Amino acid sequence: MKKLLKIFSLLLLICSSNTFSFAAEKVDYLKTDWSFKGLFGKFDRASLQRGYQVYTEVCASCHSMKYLSYRNLSEKGGPEFPEDQAKAIAASFEVMDGPNADGEMFARPGKLSDKFVMPYDNVKAAQAANGGAYPPDMSVLVKARGGGVDYIYSLLQGYEEAPSGMTLDDGVHYNKYMYGNKIRMAAPLSDGLVEYGDGTTASVEQMSKDVTTFLMWAAEPHLEARHQMGFKAIIYLIILTILVYFSMKKIWSRVESEV
Amino acid sequence: MSNHDYRPKSKVGQWFNDRLPLLTLANHLTDYPTPKNLNYWWTFGGILTFCLITQIITGLTLAMHYIAHADMAFESVEHIMRDVNYGWLIRYIHANGASMFFLAVYIHIFRSLFYGSYKAPREIIWIIGIIIYLLMMAAAFMGYVLPWGQMSFWGATVITNLFSAIPLVGEGIVTWLWGGYSVDNPTLTRFFTLHYLIPFLILGLVVLHIWALHVPGNNNPVGIDIKKPSKDTVPFHPYIVIKDGFALLMFMIVFAFFVFYSPNILGHADNYIEANPMVTPAHIVPEWYLLPFYAILRSVPDKLLGVVAMLSAILILAVLPWLDTSKIRSAVFRPLYKQFYWILVADVLILGYVGAMPAEGLYLLIARVATAYYFLHFLVILPVLGFKEKTLPVPLSITEPVLGGSPNLATARKKESKIE
């Protein structure tokens, strides 16, 4: 049994040491308390709703979110807007549909089943409108960046004056958390940029936190279900392991040998 | 071996068994005499079987929803993650399952190295195992390409380009592998086909691996031949079944932590960016389980020789039973080998570490030294050690290791009488 514990702890050690490959690019990101971290982590519903507001009023003018549908906004584990509200949100967008019976394409108000309407028709159009840089799709953005939510949260607040001696091209901005410190996107947030319906003060910090929470949900819409199931699964496994351990002891007591 | 004149009790059973002796096989598997001193390092064979079955089942389910097309693969994976019922669970089990599979296979291989399980009469088991390991690497590599993220695309480009190192025909082979002049849709569809095929080849080889094992029976921590069945053995069922089951449950707890609480930690963030042939990622790194070989590849300045070194590093294992000249199996009775064994373990871990780092400066130097030592271990140290090493006395049986007997019966008897 002692040996087994040794192996088990070695396993955990090996597993945890696998994270070393990320250690190479460690930057000190700004820290904040994320409600969705940890064994029981859940999204802060109000923060998700505010985050959606920031996304749709600020980010969505350049960044698409092509893997999300309007119905997701009212689904369990997400911002959980009431269905009527999600319907109203969808209807506020114009969706190209068709062809109809006459072979014509036509515009209609969005429905819950529609995917988020994209700000540009294609990548080329997005680049043309943004000085050659393509604003990345935000559906899985937090999973596509090494620092994850901390990186996005920091980047949104990382705009500074370029240090002396550093020359920036036209349309390039200095950001201390960006890889290479040069970013095409101008500082997207400023205090009071949006007006929160729930009375929360829309500071840059607050908006960064809200929109990052929203992006985390967008990338992992089933995070809450995953955490809940994980806890149950592991408890179940631990209990079963204990039962099997005692059964094993009983069975092996018939022979002169250790387990 | 177990009882071959087994006869089922029921008439129907006898009728069936006379025509297809499946019940005899089942009886053989349950009665199979197993050394009773097997420690927990021996439970990874069962764990690996579990890993393979898990990968096949989750893989089949994913294949029902995945679309192998360069324009749709990435989107179909997101569809699985968002809209397929429990798609996120199935995909995370499959993706982390690959890492768990390799973790288990490395423990399994190093267990064999420590206890000399590859030595006569078990060479065929070992060689089949090496073939399984090679196929696992191929399957894992091609599976990593399927989500069609940036690391998928560029990993595929780097690895397939290795074949261009072959003189004269290299370029032609690469074009043939790609099905075009770059990694593209034809590459993705053939990788998907092969990724689907290989697990079943592995399954077949696993059957052979176990069949070959059941001829001489298990090696054991003492590394001596034992009489079967005897008081040194226990029947596979229930003794080994419950012990393997217990170890498997412990393993599943670790597995579950990854799946439910850090499902993406073993992957690379860049693979959540859709493949883009126009943008090369800053660092192209393979999955962690291939890193030691990646380090060996990069430590050789010449491309062709690098590929040769990387392949030799794996293939050298196939001739290991003949490189190791020592008659004693278990490292427990080989004081010098034991030390070299742990140095080798450290060496491989170091190779894995530098494989993840940029190939420059100190990292490159460390990679070169570690690569040289890797080959030194197998080509020089092991053959020489067999002749030079003074081994400890080996016990006569598992039940009486306390007597400290030697294979020489006379000396053992003498010792016994002294004790009395």
Side-chain angles (χ1 to χ4, degrees), chain B residues 43-57:
Chain B
T43 60
F44 283 89
I47 288 171
L48 283 162
T49 313
F50 165 81
C51 287
L52 178 64
I53 302 297
T54 307
Q55 290 303 86
I56 289 178
I57 292 171

Side-chain angles (χ1 to χ4, degrees), chain A residues 236-253:
Chain A
Y236 175 85
L237 283 173
I238 289 173
I239 293 172
L240 189 60
T241 308
I242 293 169
L243 292 177
V244 170
Y245 173 75
F246 285 112
S247 315
M248 180 179 74
K249 277 291 187 196
K250 182 101 201 289
I251 288 171
W252 276 81
S253 66

Side-chain angles (χ1 to χ4, degrees), chain A residues 4 11 15 19 22 39 67 71 139-140 143-144 218 220 222 226-227 229-231 248 251-252 256-257, chain B residues 36 40-41 74 78 81-83 86 88 92 103 239 246 249-250 258 260-261 263-265 267 269 272:
Chain A
L4 180 68
L11 262 177
C15 297
T19 50
F22 298 95
L39 290 189
Y67 300 125
R71 65 182 159 81
S139 312
V140 283
K143 290 200 283 187
E220 279 285 308
H222 299 293
R226 172 155 61 77
H227 285 178
M229 188 194 283
F231 184 72
M248 180 179 74
I251 288 171
W252 276 81
E256 272 179 63
S257 187
Chain B
K36 67 179 186 181
Y40 283 97
W41 298 115
F74 191 85
E78 277 309 308
M81 293 298 289
R82 289 161 196 277
D83 299 330
Y86 298 104
W88 57 270
Y92 278 154
L103 180 65
Y239 295 96
F246 172 62
L249 283 165
M250 298 279 273
F258 277 104
F260 292 107
Y261 292 108
N264 292 308
I265 200 154
Y272 277 105

Side-chain angles (χ1 to χ4, degrees), chain A residues 34-71:
Chain A
W34 299 111
S35 63
F36 48 80
K37 296 237 158 139
L39 290 189
F40 306 102
K42 279 183 174 197
F43 290 113
D44 175 350
R45 221 59 67 196
S47 181
L48 276 182
Q49 296 194 356
R50 291 194 300 269
Y52 172 69
Q53 191 186 345
V54 177
Y55 167 72
T56 197
E57 289 179 18
V58 185
C59 320
S61 55
C62 298
H63 291 277
S64 59
M65 234 182 201
K66 59 182 174 185
Y67 300 125
L68 272 82
S69 306
Y70 293 109
R71 65 182 159 81

Side-chain angles (χ1 to χ4, degrees), chain B residues 36-347:
Chain B
K36 67 179 186 181
N37 63 335
L38 295 190
N39 57 35
Y40 283 97
W41 298 115
W42 258 267
T43 60
F44 283 89
I47 288 171
L48 283 162
T49 313
F50 165 81
C51 287
L52 178 64
I53 302 297
T54 307
Q55 290 303 86
I56 289 178
I57 292 171
T58 52
L60 283 174
T61 320
L62 288 173
M64 293 173 188
H65 302 279
Y66 170 77
I67 302 168
H69 189 284
D71 296 335
M72 289 181 272
F74 191 85
E75 190 182 343
S76 73
V77 171
E78 277 309 308
H79 164 69
I80 290 168
M81 293 298 289
R82 289 161 196 277
D83 299 330
V84 173
N85 291 332
Y86 298 104
W88 57 270
L89 178 64
I90 297 162
R91 174 163 177 261
Y92 278 154
I93 290 176
H94 196 72
N96 287 285
S99 283
M100 292 295 121
F101 205 158
F102 274 95
L103 180 65
V105 91
Y106 282 127
I107 294 174
H108 193 61
I109 291 172
F110 274 100
R111 188 270 292 153
S112 189
L113 290 180
F114 188 84
Y115 294 110
S117 303
Y118 50 84
K119 290 184 199 185
R122 296 183 181 83
E123 301 97 318
I124 300 291
I125 313 174
W126 171 256
I127 290 170
I128 293 172
I130 297 298
I131 300 170
I132 293 173
Y133 174 51
L134 273 170
L135 286 175
M136 275 175 67
M137 290 202 275
F141 159 66
M142 288 193 264
Y144 196 60
V145 175
L146 301 185
W148 211 241
Q150 274 289 68
M151 234 9 119
S152 302
F153 181 89
W154 291 98
T157 304
V158 169
I159 300 295
T160 47
N161 252 317
L162 295 179
F163 290 91
S164 71
I166 303 168
L168 302 174
V169 291
E171 295 293 336
I173 288 178
V174 173
T175 310
W176 177 71
L177 286 174
W178 285 341
Y181 295 102
S182 69
V183 173
D184 205 343
N185 199 51
T187 328
L188 177 59
T189 50
R190 66 190 56 187
F191 276 21
F192 179 57
T193 311
L194 294 174
H195 182 72
Y196 207 123
L197 169 71
I198 291 174
F200 297 100
L201 299 181
I202 294 178
L203 190 63
L205 285 167
V206 166
V207 172
L208 294 184
H209 193 63
I210 296 171
W211 185 0
L213 167 73
H214 279 234
V215 177
N218 289 71
N219 182 28
N220 64 79
V222 185
I224 53 168
D225 292 324
I226 50 169
K227 268 206 352 234
K228 285 162 288 207
S230 70
K231 56 180 179 172
D232 281 352
T233 66
V234 289
F236 190 78
H237 182 75
Y239 295 96
I240 303 299
V241 169
I242 190 113
K243 193 169 169 181
D244 277 3
F246 172 62
L248 175 62
L249 283 165
M250 298 279 273
F251 185 80
M252 283 168 79
I253 293 173
V254 178
F255 197 156
F257 261 103
F258 277 104
V259 169
F260 292 107
Y261 292 108
S262 45
N264 292 308
I265 200 154
L266 298 171
H268 197 290
D270 277 11
N271 229 27
Y272 277 105
I273 304 173
E274 195 169 355
N276 185 350
M278 300 304 181
V279 181
T280 318
H283 300 290
I284 301 173
V285 272
E287 292 272 81
W288 67 268
Y289 38 80
L290 302 176
L291 287 174
F293 299 107
Y294 194 54
I296 291 175
L297 170 76
R298 295 191 307 177
S299 69
V300 182
D302 182 78
K303 190 177 178 183
L304 177 61
L305 291 178
V307 175
V308 169
M310 181 177 72
L311 285 177
S312 324
I314 305 166
L315 295 178
I316 204 169
L317 293 172
V319 289
L320 177 62
W322 297 276
L323 287 174
D324 186 345
T325 50
S326 174
K327 292 276 170 285
I328 306 296
R329 292 196 191 99
S330 176
V332 174
F333 305 104
R334 298 183 62 189
L336 279 176
Y337 173 71
K338 205 182 198 169
Q339 292 175 31
F340 284 114
Y341 170 84
W342 288 111
I343 296 172
L344 180 74
V345 172
D347 188 63

